[in-house]
Amino acid sequence: MSERLYLFTRFERFWHWAQAALIFTLLFTGFGIHGVHDLLKFGLAVRVHETAAWLLIGLWIFAIFWHFTTGQWKQYLPTLERIGAVTRYYVHGIFVGAPHPYRVTVAHKHNPLQRLAYLGVKLVINPLIWISGLLYLFWGSLYASMPAFLDLERVARLHTLGAFLMLAFLIMHVYLATAGHTPLAYIKAMITGWEEVHDEAAIKRPPPASGKGSAGR
């Protein structure tokens, strides 16, 4: 038993995939700049990294404007409702085929843990990457007004920390994206906008066979 919901608008899907492409580009070129690989020449890696960074900043600014003008920012408001059940599901239930305790709706697209994770990205990881990257880029003009404890090396380390935090988030995000009723269900929803919301309890916990119902109660 399932219900089709139009969860993700065209802009949400564009924003999601464009952001993903730019972040992967930044991680790839960033690791190249740090010498982790030599698949790009250093100068080219720097140019691509800076270009992708400006595109991502522009996308973030537009996305912030879109979220506030459409009211979609409310999707990320933290809540403790059913957070215990959702936590137990991801710690144990997901590995034993238990039904997901949270049912998605158009008004509430993200479960409590997703809300906290996305809020952390928006309020901690993104600003850390954004601010440290701009400081590093314009350090020659800004260093004279910076506090004594903040030097270019510390700025670079903060930027690298933000990159590794984003990489950790991406790994978990990609993994959980395959944890739907089929491995590609969530990915398909983010491509088409439509998600099939299944009554997992009815699917995974069928009623007892006829004739064996109330006799033992």
Side-chain angles (χ1 to χ4, degrees):
M1 185 177 180
S2 64
E3 175 187 4
R4 291 190 82 218
L5 295 178
Y6 187 66
L7 288 183
F8 305 110
T9 64
R10 288 181 180 178
F11 175 75
E12 285 177 293
R13 285 175 277 148
F14 163 76
W15 169 55
H16 177 274
W17 292 113
Q19 182 175 227
L22 289 170
I23 289 174
F24 278 117
T25 299
L26 286 165
L27 287 170
F28 177 74
T29 54
F31 283 125
I33 292 170
H34 278 271
V36 176
H37 65 77
D38 57 357
L39 298 175
L40 290 178
K41 292 183 178 180
F42 181 81
L44 177 60
V46 170
R47 290 195 297 274
V48 173
H49 193 81
E50 290 183 3
T51 301
W54 283 116
L55 290 173
L56 184 58
I57 288 174
L59 182 62
W60 279 344
I61 292 173
F62 193 83
I64 290 170
F65 172 79
W66 180 87
H67 276 84
F68 278 97
T69 55
T70 61
Q72 289 298 308
W73 62 273
K74 297 176 183 177
Q75 297 280 356
Y76 305 98
L77 289 176
T79 176
L80 297 180
E81 184 179 356
R82 299 191 63 77
I83 193 169
V86 174
T87 301
R88 288 192 295 273
Y89 171 76
Y90 284 121
V91 171
H92 175 70
I94 194 172
F95 302 108
V96 297
H100 201 298
Y102 185 84
R103 186 171 177 83
V104 172
T105 67
V106 174
H108 301 94
K109 301 177 185 181
H110 310 306
N111 68 53
L113 285 183
Q114 286 177 313
R115 292 189 186 198
L116 289 175
Y118 295 148
L119 193 65
V121 170
K122 294 177 185 298
L123 296 184
V124 179
I125 299 178
N126 284 358
L128 177 60
I129 293 173
W130 191 344
I131 294 171
S132 62
L134 289 175
L135 283 175
Y136 192 89
L137 185 62
F138 295 107
W139 187 256
S141 303
L142 296 174
Y143 77 93
S145 58
M146 291 293 103
F149 68 86
L150 191 64
D151 56 21
L152 186 59
E153 183 179 352
R154 285 190 174 91
V155 171
R157 288 179 178 177
L158 287 172
H159 195 63
T160 302
L161 172 63
F164 275 105
L165 289 174
M166 180 63 77
L167 179 60
F169 170 80
L170 283 177
I171 291 171
M172 288 301 300
H173 186 66
V174 171
Y175 166 67
L176 292 176
T178 66
H181 62 278
T182 67
L184 297 178
Y186 293 153
I187 297 173
K188 182 180 178 181
M190 190 49 74
I191 294 173
T192 66
W194 291 90
E195 182 169 327
E196 293 213 6
V197 180
H198 287 252
D199 186 349
E200 297 185 40
I203 295 171
K204 298 182 180 181
R205 296 179 182 177
S210 60
K212 299 181 181 180
S214 59
R217 292 181 184 171

